[in-house]
Amino acid sequence: MFKKILIANRGEIALRILRAARELGVKTVAVHSEADARALHVRFADEAVCIGPAPAAKSYLNIPAIISAAEITAADAIHPGYGFLSENAEFARICRKCGITFIGPTPEAMRAWGDKVTARKNAERFGLPLLAGSAVLENAEHAVREANRIGYPVILKARGGGGGRGMRIVRSDAEMPDAFGSARREAETGFKNPDVYCEKYVERPRHIEFQVFADQHGGVWTLGERECSLQRRHQKVIEEGPSPAMTDELRTEMANVIHKAVSSTGYTSLGTLEFLMDESRKLYFLEMNTRVQVEHPVTELITGLDLVSLQIRAAAGEKITLPDVRPWPLHGHAIECRINAEDPKTFAPWPGLITEYAAPGGNGVRVDSGVYGGWRVPADYDSLLAKLIVHAPTRREAIVRMRRALDEFIVGGIRTNIDLHKALLSDHEVIEGTMSTRTVDRITGRAH
Ligand code: MV4
């Protein structure tokens, strides 16, 4: 096992990793920006190093400063959390070169799955279901030819993309030249790679993702799915597991194909395979996330596993002895609400001083938070304050429990999206479990 882990992140995920490390008997190093000197992760860690000014580019994305902090404190591993450097293959490669274990997949695996065209090729080769799609499009005429082969509507996507940026829906030949041009320009500015490809567009999809975990000794576990359709502008708002649209039969089938794909590519560590589900409940592979995800607690509660602890143990080379059962048995129902500091009307971030803070508790309630009363939320980072996660025997009981917990949550001094969560959890589609990626827009009004 490692002696000391440096956590290259902040907020609730930094605390989550600190806690797992402490329970494994591993010392911890926090890094922080000047804006985060009084943040909770700095207070909880055994040691803390300031790595630069508030802007992330100068601190949490500052590779030389982070590597220096690891060397000065003699940390033997770095956990990147999510966001920031977590999917940066170059950072993982530099860690390896410096003799520091990057807690995540290999740089080669990150590069292969991070490139959407290679990811699609891998998926095809190993039997994951895919939407009809193209290779990289050479020019607008090529795009028109491919769109006609696939059939409109199609969606243009950036090869280096993800998270929805640079996507264009195209419904006819006439729209293609402009859409192709702007998709390429956006891909070039956003991802420093102008390559775009196209795919059949699914109109009202659900977003369903499968959690996987693999050790370095050939052990691979597929740990059920999460339903993440409740999103606004590609930011997830509520996640739950299991998905209300999943059947035992489909879950078993997916667990088998995913197990095969993950084993065949030699993938290690935690990973998430994202799928779209169409209205006939067919699933199509979209992309793989090669990091621990914000919503991992949903899977922890329904599987009974500590995913972050497993991720650290696997990175240390431990052979993991979990039962080889497929699909992994799921217990009860979990829901996660992301509590953000934001303007309830415009959804703009609302940084500032938290004057009052009391988190809910009681049976079946978990709060992963990075904040406390008296702390000032900086304007420099994303607006996630806390994750409120509930677990109950059934979906219906989990919704009731979440409403009860939301009613208990006290955050004073800043605005939050707690009322949005209450509105979502009283919407008929959400209650019935028939939501799609359009549901949040309908409830909030599309004007924003
Ligand atoms: C799609 C799609 C429909 N058809 N691909 C958005 C994020 C990126 N990971 C993929 N995304 C989508 N890809 C095809 N072929 C619709 C979306 C999409 C979406 C996906 C998941 C969750 C929310 C979404 C909101 C809008 C669009």
Side-chain angles (χ1 to χ4, degrees):
M1 183 42 66
F2 305 117
K3 290 201 166 56
K4 203 187 265 187
I5 295 175
L6 181 144
I7 295 136
N9 215 302
R10 63 183 300 283
E12 65 85 19
I13 194 63
L15 298 192
R16 174 70 189 85
I17 299 159
L18 272 160
R19 287 168 169 147
R22 187 145 300 167
E23 289 177 7
L24 289 166
V26 178
K27 291 264 181 282
T28 55
V29 181
V31 294
H32 66 90
S33 69
E34 287 166 7
D36 273 342
R38 299 177 60 78
L40 225 42
H41 74 285
V42 174
R43 294 182 165 193
F44 277 27
D46 295 310
E47 294 171 78
V49 181
C50 182
I51 50 168
K58 301 206 154 147
S59 48
Y60 297 104
L61 293 169
N62 183 343
I63 295 176
I66 292 167
I67 297 286
S68 304
E71 290 188 335
I72 288 163
T73 57
D76 45 3
I78 296 182
H79 197 305
Y82 54 69
F84 297 125
L85 296 169
S86 61
E87 298 195 274
N88 185 321
E90 180 59 14
F91 178 59
R93 191 190 64 80
I94 291 168
C95 288
R96 178 156 74 189
K97 239 182 115 188
C98 295
I100 301 163
T101 303
F102 176 86
I103 302 177
T106 62
E108 293 76 21
M110 290 167 75
R111 209 163 266 129
W113 288 105
D115 172 7
K116 303 293 169 283
V117 174
T118 311
R120 270 183 69 89
K121 271 194 201 124
N122 265 339
E124 185 170 23
R125 185 156 157 232
F126 298 112
L128 295 174
L130 277 178
L131 286 159
S134 74
V136 172
L137 299 165
E138 299 303 329
N139 50 46
E141 294 74 52
H142 185 206
V144 165
R145 270 202 314 281
E146 286 296 283
N148 280 285
R149 184 179 60 79
I150 293 162
Y152 288 107
V154 299
I155 182 166
L156 296 171
K157 293 185 175 182
R159 174 178 203 168
R165 277 191 308 157
M167 303 191 326
R168 287 283 181 293
I169 300 157
V170 186
R171 298 187 180 277
S172 68
D173 287 355
E175 289 174 21
M176 186 60 91
D178 284 356
F180 180 74
S182 57
R184 267 182 76 86
R185 279 191 300 278
E186 206 168 306
E188 174 64 54
T189 26
F191 315 108
K192 300 184 188 89
N193 181 346
D195 287 352
V196 298
Y197 64 99
C198 74
E199 245 175 35
K200 180 78 185 172
Y201 179 64
V202 182
E203 293 282 357
R204 248 171 227 85
R206 286 175 183 260
H207 173 139
I208 294 174
E209 55 187 34
F210 286 81
Q211 179 72 56
V212 298
F213 167 68
D215 69 10
Q216 296 173 7
H217 304 272
V220 174
W221 293 270
T222 63
L223 302 173
E225 80 284 357
R226 297 181 289 256
E227 162 88 48
C228 304
S229 297
L230 296 175
Q231 311 202 356
R232 189 186 165 275
R233 300 230 169 137
H234 307 297
Q235 295 292 324
K236 294 170 186 166
V237 182
I238 297 182
E239 306 95 346
E240 64 177 296
S243 166
M246 190 60 55
T247 61
D248 289 342
E249 193 186 359
L250 185 52
R251 183 181 298 112
T252 303
E253 183 191 322
M254 293 306 293
N256 286 329
V257 295
I258 289 168
H259 189 277
K260 194 168 141 226
V262 170
S263 308
S264 315
T265 52
Y267 187 83
T268 56
S269 191
L270 290 177
T272 299
L273 292 98
E274 288 186 15
F275 292 81
L276 287 183
M277 182 185 265
D278 69 12
E279 280 165 320
S280 70
R281 294 201 179 183
K282 279 222 251 322
L283 284 164
Y284 303 97
F285 173 75
L286 273 189
E287 55 190 74
M288 181 160 180
N289 300 315
T290 58
R291 58 169 192 276
V292 66
Q293 288 195 245
V294 176
E295 58 272 28
H296 76 276
V298 166
T299 300
E300 295 191 315
L301 293 177
I302 60 175
T303 59
L305 298 172
D306 182 330
L307 295 181
V308 177
S309 183
L310 285 169
Q311 186 188 27
I312 295 171
R313 289 166 55 199
E318 192 178 317
K319 181 172 164 58
I320 305 296
T321 51
L322 287 173
D324 186 22
V325 285
R326 227 166 30 246
W328 187 271
L330 305 179
H331 298 287
H333 201 93
I335 306 177
E336 171 177 284
C337 287
R338 296 190 186 192
I339 311 298
N340 295 335
E342 67 186 30
D343 185 329
K345 292 209 171 68
T346 66
F347 302 97
W350 195 293
L353 181 68
I354 301 176
T355 54
E356 259 196 308
Y357 184 81
N363 197 13
V365 175
R366 166 173 168 182
V367 180
D368 280 17
S369 161
V371 308
Y372 58 95
W375 188 60
R376 185 175 289 280
V377 180
D380 308 271
Y381 315 107
D382 83 40
S383 54
L384 183 72
L385 295 174
K387 304 185 304 205
L388 173 56
I389 315 108
V390 301
H391 189 217
T394 64
R395 184 169 191 272
R396 186 189 290 265
E397 290 162 293
I399 291 174
V400 170
R401 181 159 284 165
M402 181 62 88
R403 289 205 201 104
R404 183 274 285 174
L406 286 165
D407 282 338
E408 291 176 11
F409 220 136
I410 298 171
V411 183
I414 56 172
R415 297 285 180 85
T416 74
N417 62 347
I418 291 174
D419 286 341
L420 170 65
H421 284 298
K422 292 179 185 172
L424 294 175
L425 290 169
S426 53
D427 179 78
H428 68 277
E429 272 188 354
V430 176
I431 290 168
E432 288 157 19
T434 55
M435 61 280 212
S436 76
T437 53
R438 302 264 180 103
T439 300
V440 175
D441 279 347
R442 174 179 55 74
I443 295 167
T444 60
R446 313 207 43 157
H448 302 292

